[in-house]
Amino acid sequence: MLAKLDPDGAAPRTDRYDDRGLDASWQFLGGGDHALSVYGSWIRENQDLHQTFLAGGADGSHQQLDTLHVNVDYTWRHQINASLGWLDTRGRRDATLYSAGPVEGYAGGRPDSRAFTAQLEVMPWGKADSFASPLANARLGVQYTKYDNFNGRSRNYDGDNRDAKDNNTLFFYVWLAI
């Protein structure tokens, strides 16, 4: 992806974002009771922030972000699925671009974040010979996301005493499709 942004139409320069990435997946569908899937993606975003830098919104005109995401899923008998995921984002330090502020701030001046996710879901009518298949589909699940690091720090990441763990989430869901 290549994008040019012009935050201030009167300024002579623009900000440019160039994202390049790789993704891959692998599946084992044993034809029986077990299925295993592994997914991964890596994205490098190069940011040429000429206009932001000239306006005083960044310490330098170049920033780079790297994001790595890996997920492993195991499904048993088309009815129970468990997955584990890992997300890691890293970037260069820029205390002006990544400044402190309540809730969304960056007291450490870095955009780095790291989280782990665990999910368990039940699909009661997941089998081909289940009730009203393939019309009746449902998923009941729970997902937990735990942050080790958020916006560059594990403790007091925003300069307002919020810790990375304050962004941890527990999510219950029901998904229906007919």
Side-chain angles (χ1 to χ4, degrees), residues 14-15 22 36-37 53-54 58 68 72 74-75 89-90 93-95 97 106-108 114 116 128 141 146 151 162 170:
T14 61
D15 289 346
L22 298 171
L36 182 67
S37 302
F53 173 67
L54 290 173
L68 178 64
V72 177
Y74 170 73
T75 304
T89 299
R90 297 173 189 254
R93 186 178 194 295
D94 187 320
L97 183 62
Y106 303 82
R114 187 173 46 252
F116 298 90
K146 178 188 180 303
N151 289 358
R162 283 184 59 87
L170 181 62

Side-chain angles (χ1 to χ4, degrees), residues 29-107:
L29 304 173
D33 292 342
H34 309 282
L36 182 67
S37 302
V38 179
Y39 309 96
S41 68
W42 169 77
I43 299 170
R44 170 164 286 168
E45 179 174 275
N46 290 306
Q47 302 172 357
D48 292 319
L49 305 174
H50 300 293
Q51 192 176 102
T52 299
F53 173 67
L54 290 173
D59 294 341
S61 63
H62 185 73
Q63 179 56 257
Q64 181 175 297
L65 292 174
D66 286 303
T67 302
L68 178 64
H69 184 220
V70 177
N71 200 71
V72 177
D73 289 337
Y74 170 73
T75 304
W76 182 68
R77 292 190 173 181
H78 304 279
Q79 291 183 302
I80 298 174
N81 183 31
S83 66
L84 296 173
W86 180 58
L87 175 66
D88 188 19
T89 299
R90 297 173 189 254
R92 295 181 180 160
R93 186 178 194 295
D94 187 320
T96 303
L97 183 62
Y98 302 112
S99 60
V103 183
E104 297 177 8
Y106 303 82

Side-chain angles (χ1 to χ4, degrees), residues 89-167:
T89 299
R90 297 173 189 254
R92 295 181 180 160
R93 186 178 194 295
D94 187 320
T96 303
L97 183 62
Y98 302 112
S99 60
V103 183
E104 297 177 8
Y106 303 82
R110 299 188 75 95
D112 302 357
S113 292
R114 187 173 46 252
F116 298 90
T117 301
Q119 179 172 302
L120 181 63
E121 60 186 357
V122 175
M123 299 151 292
W125 304 297
K127 290 187 170 196
D129 60 351
S130 294
F131 163 76
S133 179
L135 299 176
N137 293 295
R139 289 179 186 239
L140 309 167
V142 60
Q143 181 186 74
Y144 181 70
T145 301
K146 178 188 180 303
Y147 283 90
D148 287 6
N149 194 4
F150 192 81
N151 289 358
R153 288 186 172 174
S154 59
R155 298 182 141 309
N156 192 24
Y157 73 82
D158 64 349
D160 204 35
N161 293 319
R162 283 184 59 87
D163 296 338
K165 67 179 180 170
D166 294 335
N167 294 296

